[in-house]
Amino acid sequence: MKKETIAMMAQMEFVEPASEELIEAVENEMNIVFPEQYLRFMKLTNGAEGPLGSNSYLSIWPLDEVPSLNDEYGVRKFTPDLVYFGSDDGD
């Protein structure tokens, strides 16, 4: 990651990396292939949450929650060609 990106994410909470098995299972469940940049991030931390810079908040969902949260938010109904993987935790 770029130094600027790392600095912006300094206050975020990170967790254990996603396993190859989890990545494969979620890709198979959702019938997709995640972009390489997203996979690199998931292999560093299976999700992250917290302040992003000085004025924003970001929640990158754990990979195992991506399918159920996409279902819960009606992503396939409203934006069928997209997969959501996080939010700003706003209303």
Side-chain angles (χ1 to χ4, degrees):
M1 271 189 266
K2 294 182 180 181
K3 291 180 183 180
E4 296 85 13
T5 304
I6 294 169
M8 283 182 59
M9 298 175 72
Q11 296 179 31
M12 295 183 75
E13 294 180 27
F14 298 92
V15 297
E16 293 295 316
S19 67
E20 291 288 342
E21 293 81 13
L22 176 60
I23 292 167
E24 184 178 333
V26 174
E27 285 183 328
N28 288 337
E29 178 181 347
M30 298 186 78
N31 195 32
I32 63 170
V33 176
F34 287 113
E36 188 58 38
Q37 188 173 15
Y38 175 71
L39 293 177
R40 282 195 309 265
F41 187 80
M42 289 291 104
K43 290 174 183 177
L44 293 173
T45 178
N46 185 18
E49 186 170 343
L52 182 64
S54 59
N55 297 317
S56 299
Y57 191 89
L58 179 63
S59 176
I60 301 173
W61 304 330
L63 194 54
D64 49 314
E65 294 179 17
V66 169
S68 63
L69 288 170
N70 273 262
D71 289 342
E72 184 179 319
Y73 288 119
V75 174
R76 290 185 186 138
K77 178 180 178 183
F78 298 108
T79 53
D81 294 331
L82 298 178
V83 172
Y84 296 3
F85 57 87
S87 74
D88 64 2
D89 278 358
D91 292 334

